[in-house]
Amino acid sequence: MLALTPVLAAVVCILVVWIFKIPGRSSERRKGEPRAQPRPWVDEDLKDSSDLPPEEEDAEEWQESEENIDHIPFSHTRYSTKEMVRRAQEFYELLNKRRSVRFISSEQVPMEVIDNVIKAAGTAPSGAHTEPWTFVVVKDPDMKHKIREIIEEEEEINYAKRMGPRWVTDVKKLRTNWIKEYLDTAPVLILIFKQVHGFTANGKKRVHYYNEISVSIACGILLAALQNAGLVTVTTTPLNCGPRLRMLLGRPANEKLLMLLPVGYPSADATVPDLKRKPLDQIMVTV
C-alpha cells in the first residue's frame, strides 16, 4: 500500500491541476457553440502602443531627446465676450454643415488650398512635439486607380466576411458598399500615415509618444480646414489595406495608414443621408 502512495499523489496532483484549468479554458468551444470571431473592425495598422517604453533589448537603437528649446513670450488675441460668442457660434454653424460626401466632382481644386489645409493640420499638438504624421497627397489618375483597386478588393472581402452582419446592417442605411468610385473621381486623395516612431539625425529611433492620438487630432483639424475652404470629403479607414497602400506609395516601415480622405467639390447630384446630430445635453456634462 505504501508503494502506491507516490502514484496516488501524482494522480491527485494531476486532477487538481486539471480542475483549476477548467475555468480558464475560455479559448475552447463548448459543444455546439459557434467559434468566437475576432472584433472585425480591429486593423493591425490602427493598433497603438506608443505610450509604452521601447523594449530593453532595443535600447541601443533608441535615443533620448536632448534638445534644449528656448521659451518665448506667448502671443494671444483676446476678444470681448460678445465677439467670443459670435465667433464660436459662426464656427459651430460652419462645422455643423460638414457632411460625409461620397459623390465628389472631378473638377480640379487649387493646390495652394490643399497645401494650406495640410499646414493647418500640422499645427496639431503631439506627444513631446514629435509631430508623428505624414500626409501623402495623390493627384496622379493612375495611382488613384491603383489605390481604388486595392481598397475595393479588400473591401469586398470586408463586407462579405470580415465586418460581420451587424456592421453591414448598420452602414446599409448610409447606402455605402465596397465600391468606391470617389477614389477615381476625386481630384485629390490625402492619405494620412502615423509614424509609430521617428529617427534622429544619427539614425537612431526616436519615440513618438501617443502617435495615434496626435495624428487623430491632426485629422480633425484637417476636416475643419477642408470645410472652411469649401471642400468636401468622407473619412475612410480602409480595413486591411494599410500595408499594401504603404508599399504602393513607397512609404517606410515606421509609417502606418490611419485615414484616407478623397477631397474635392461635391458633384452636382450629390446626396447625403438625412442624419441628425445629438443635442448638446446628450454630449456635454457640466460638473
Side-chain angles (χ1 to χ4, degrees):
M1 194 68 181
L2 290 176
L4 295 177
T5 300
V7 177
L8 290 173
V11 171
V12 170
C13 289
I14 292 172
L15 287 173
V16 169
V17 172
W18 182 77
I19 290 171
F20 278 97
K21 283 183 68 178
I22 289 177
R25 295 168 65 190
S26 58
S27 62
E28 296 182 11
R29 288 184 295 160
R30 295 178 183 175
K31 190 173 183 180
E33 285 188 353
R35 183 181 297 275
Q37 296 294 326
R39 290 169 64 92
W41 49 85
V42 172
D43 189 328
E44 288 296 325
D45 272 12
L46 300 183
K47 291 183 179 179
D48 184 24
S49 58
S50 58
D51 53 327
L52 302 176
E55 297 179 3
E56 291 297 327
E57 58 267 29
D58 295 331
E60 294 184 358
E61 298 181 15
W62 298 81
Q63 178 171 311
E64 296 290 337
S65 175
E66 297 179 353
E67 298 176 359
N68 291 319
I69 300 177
D70 293 333
H71 281 223
I72 60 176
F74 174 60
S75 177
H76 173 67
T77 301
R78 179 162 178 166
Y79 303 103
S80 67
T81 299
K82 182 178 180 180
E83 179 66 7
M84 290 171 62
V85 171
R86 185 191 66 80
R87 291 171 67 92
Q89 178 66 25
E90 288 183 354
F91 190 67
Y92 158 69
E93 291 174 357
L94 171 68
L95 293 191
N96 192 40
K97 296 176 182 177
R98 187 208 59 79
R99 299 299 306 270
S100 295
V101 179
R102 294 174 174 84
F103 304 96
I104 301 178
S105 167
S106 60
E107 181 181 353
Q108 295 300 307
V109 299
M111 277 307 297
E112 185 178 1
V113 173
I114 300 300
D115 292 345
N116 283 326
V117 296
I118 290 179
K119 284 194 293 184
T123 68
S126 59
H129 192 60
T130 51
E131 301 177 291
W133 39 66
T134 301
F135 300 89
V136 179
V137 177
V138 179
K139 297 181 60 182
D140 180 72
D142 291 337
M143 182 62 74
K144 289 192 298 178
H145 190 68
K146 290 177 181 177
I147 290 173
R148 178 182 178 180
E149 288 179 330
I150 291 174
I151 291 178
E152 288 189 341
E153 180 181 330
E154 294 293 339
E155 282 286 80
E156 186 174 11
I157 301 173
N158 292 336
Y159 274 80
K161 298 179 181 179
R162 297 182 183 131
M163 291 165 57
R166 180 177 298 176
W167 189 359
V168 173
T169 300
D170 286 344
V171 299
K172 186 177 182 180
K173 62 187 177 184
L174 304 178
R175 298 181 186 176
T176 180
N177 53 42
W178 58 271
I179 299 175
K180 312 295 181 183
E181 184 179 352
Y182 50 73
L183 296 175
D184 269 328
T185 60
V188 172
L189 303 182
I190 303 177
L191 292 88
I192 302 99
F193 288 83
K194 63 176 185 179
Q195 303 168 5
V196 295
H197 65 79
F199 293 97
T200 60
N202 60 8
K204 288 192 174 184
K205 294 180 181 179
R206 182 184 183 188
V207 180
H208 278 177
Y209 304 97
Y210 299 102
N211 54 73
E212 183 163 326
I213 295 175
S214 301
V215 180
S216 297
I217 295 172
C219 289
I221 294 176
L222 178 56
L223 292 173
L226 289 169
Q227 178 70 10
N228 182 63
L231 298 174
V232 299
T233 187
V234 54
T235 55
T236 66
T237 52
L239 189 66
N240 296 300
C241 298
R244 293 175 65 186
L245 293 177
R246 178 178 62 80
M247 293 182 66
L248 175 67
L249 295 169
R251 302 311 307 160
N254 67 312
E255 295 185 0
K256 291 189 175 184
L257 181 64
L258 185 69
M259 188 175 294
L260 185 155
L261 300 177
V263 175
Y265 301 105
S267 61
D269 57 351
T271 62
V272 294
D274 187 16
L275 302 176
K276 307 299 180 185
R277 305 189 195 278
K278 292 181 178 179
L280 183 63
D281 61 2
Q282 290 186 23
I283 64 173
M284 185 179 82
V285 176
T286 302
V287 179

